[in-house]
Amino acid sequence: MSSFVERAVKEMAETVGDRHVVCALSGGIDSTVVAVLLHKAIGKRLHCIFVDNGVLRLNEGQEVVDYLREHFDLNLKYVQAQRRFLDKLEGVDDPEQKRKIIGYTFIEVFDEEAKALGHVDFLAQGTLYPDVIESVSHKGPSAVIKSHHNVGGLPEKMNLKLIEPLRELFKDEVRKVAAELGLPDFIIWRHPFPGPGLAIRVIGEITEERLDILRKADKVVQHELMASGWYRKVWQGFAVLLPLKTVGVMGDGRTYEHVIALRIVDSVDAMTADWARLPSELLERISSRIINEVKGVNRVVYDISSKPPSTIEWE
Ligand code: XMP
């Protein structure tokens, strides 16, 4: 991996020369590694843009942005575009529609921000090998299973050349590169988070209220996985808000409230996955904390499906 870093930095420095690169920073390990690699290669000629799309997790992104600002002298713009995305998502419940709306709105916002920078020739992205094979077919016969918003669209529209230093790597290799670069554990071990964010974990229509319920439930999941030491042992763990209500009982009264599904999986590269065999005491703690602490939820279920035939995300 040290030879990978050296080679990638050298190659990018040669490719870019004295031109400028714009990078979409998502807060995840992939784009963070790309930004740090490029910063090593070209310094201030790298311009990072972080777009808050209104469907981020609690503190998702902000922590990484703060870390980068503190430790690297890089150009970084934080764009608050929450309202713009949420207005477009209003009333939409189809998963591919949600993905497409977030994809093209992201492109619009990013395009405006990149144009405001002045002359830029390259776009850097944290695309990994699994994104490449699941999203486009030129490397093999895989059908489009879900539209990944981080591949396609942007470079053509903006007339930019692409730089994707991680496109031949799997996630475990990116983690090794991150460690080689000296990045902290909270970035290296951060679970993958999809481009369309919580929009594809609020099943059905996205409203502020439903996002709020999901964020609170998800925070419990993150907290309990970390406190128990399971966060690093699983590939991904998160909450999903279902589009139905169920009957429950509280004291002497009937309740009729939302259901949260827990999706916690083991995987090595996201191409296949299996549900994590968590200790029942941990599942019990997550369930009772969500039901007690998150207003509007009276039931928690555990997803015991593997990929394939299911996928990791529900939408
Ligand atoms: P699925 O649901 O296809 O997810 O089994 C595989 C992995 O990809 C993540 N994922 C995405 N990542 N943009 C991304 O950057 C996307 O549109 C997207 N959709 C799914 C998912 O969280 C899992 O790690």
Side-chain angles (χ1 to χ4, degrees):
M1 284 307 151
S2 62
S3 73
F4 173 86
V5 170
E6 212 174 293
R7 198 184 64 224
V9 168
K10 186 162 171 277
E11 276 175 16
M12 289 192 292
E14 278 166 10
T15 308
V16 176
D18 58 4
R19 290 171 287 179
H20 288 251
V21 180
V22 65
C23 165
L25 199 62
S26 73
I29 180 174
D30 309 337
S31 62
T32 307
V33 167
V34 168
V36 173
L37 282 172
L38 263 162
H39 181 66
K40 268 179 173 293
I42 61 166
K44 287 271 191 180
R45 277 176 289 112
L46 168 69
H47 307 268
C48 298
I49 296 175
F50 180 95
V51 177
D52 189 329
N53 58 13
V55 285
L56 301 178
R57 273 208 270 233
L58 233 43
N59 304 329
E60 189 93 39
Q62 186 65 51
E63 288 171 347
V64 175
V65 167
D66 290 347
Y67 171 85
L68 288 176
R69 283 195 168 139
E70 200 175 309
H71 292 83
F72 298 93
D73 183 28
L74 47 73
N75 288 317
L76 171 57
K77 172 139 192 216
Y78 195 112
V79 186
Q80 310 267 359
Q82 295 92 319
R83 201 59 272 154
R84 189 155 161 186
F85 282 84
L86 292 178
D87 284 350
K88 291 210 172 119
L89 287 167
E90 203 181 317
V92 178
D93 62 4
D94 176 69
E96 276 299 289
Q97 269 305 104
K98 289 179 182 177
R99 284 172 170 276
K100 286 188 175 134
I101 289 170
I102 292 174
Y104 78 66
T105 309
F106 179 84
I107 290 173
E108 269 175 23
V109 172
F110 192 82
D111 187 33
E112 289 164 18
E113 294 295 330
K115 285 207 175 103
L117 289 172
H119 195 69
V120 172
D121 293 283
F122 297 91
L123 171 76
Q125 282 187 326
T127 314
L128 302 194
Y129 189 61
D131 303 331
V132 176
I133 37 184
E134 282 201 5
S135 295
V136 289
S137 54
H138 68 262
K139 277 212 174 185
S142 321
V144 173
I145 297 168
K146 299 177 183 183
S147 317
H148 280 218
H149 99 259
N150 42 343
V151 278
L154 259 175
E156 293 81 11
K157 172 166 166 78
M158 296 172 63
N159 202 16
L160 294 173
K161 292 182 264 297
L162 259 188
I163 294 191
E164 295 178 313
L166 313 180
R167 66 180 285 126
E168 306 291 332
L169 302 187
F170 283 104
K171 198 74 163 196
D172 57 324
E173 297 172 309
V174 180
R175 291 205 170 107
K176 289 182 186 142
V177 173
E180 185 62 35
L181 290 168
L183 296 179
D185 275 3
F186 85 90
I187 292 178
I188 297 178
W189 291 103
R190 177 175 290 253
H191 287 172
F193 188 68
L198 300 183
I200 56 167
R201 295 181 181 172
V202 168
I203 310 304
E205 194 189 340
I206 299 157
T207 62
E208 299 269 14
E209 186 218 343
R210 302 189 73 219
L211 277 170
D212 188 51
I213 291 175
L214 181 61
R215 282 198 178 101
K216 287 179 178 149
D218 192 68
K219 195 173 167 204
V220 172
V221 178
Q222 304 310 309
H223 183 264
E224 288 299 331
L225 286 176
M226 283 178 191
S228 61
W230 277 86
Y231 187 85
R232 272 171 75 155
K233 293 190 221 162
V234 299
W235 169 265
Q236 250 174 311
F238 54 87
V240 179
L241 178 65
L242 306 193
L244 64 131
K245 288 185 167 184
T246 70
V247 174
V249 54
M250 173 102 84
D252 292 334
R254 172 189 192 269
T255 61
Y256 186 55
E257 292 179 323
H258 298 287
V259 185
I260 287 286
L262 305 176
R263 184 60 164 153
I264 304 170
V265 298
D266 296 321
S267 177
V268 280
D269 56 17
M271 301 291 287
T272 61
D274 197 7
W275 56 279
R277 270 55 169 183
L278 296 184
S280 47
E281 304 76 47
L282 175 57
L283 289 171
E284 184 194 341
R285 203 158 50 244
I286 295 175
S287 165
S288 62
R289 275 198 60 194
I290 291 176
I291 292 169
N292 287 323
E293 295 173 28
V294 184
K295 201 167 166 294
V297 176
N298 69 357
R299 191 177 298 269
V300 172
V301 297
Y302 194 48
D303 180 348
I304 52 169
S305 345
S306 59
K307 173 184 181 177
S310 301
T311 52
I312 295 176
E313 305 287 345
W314 278 41
E315 286 193 345

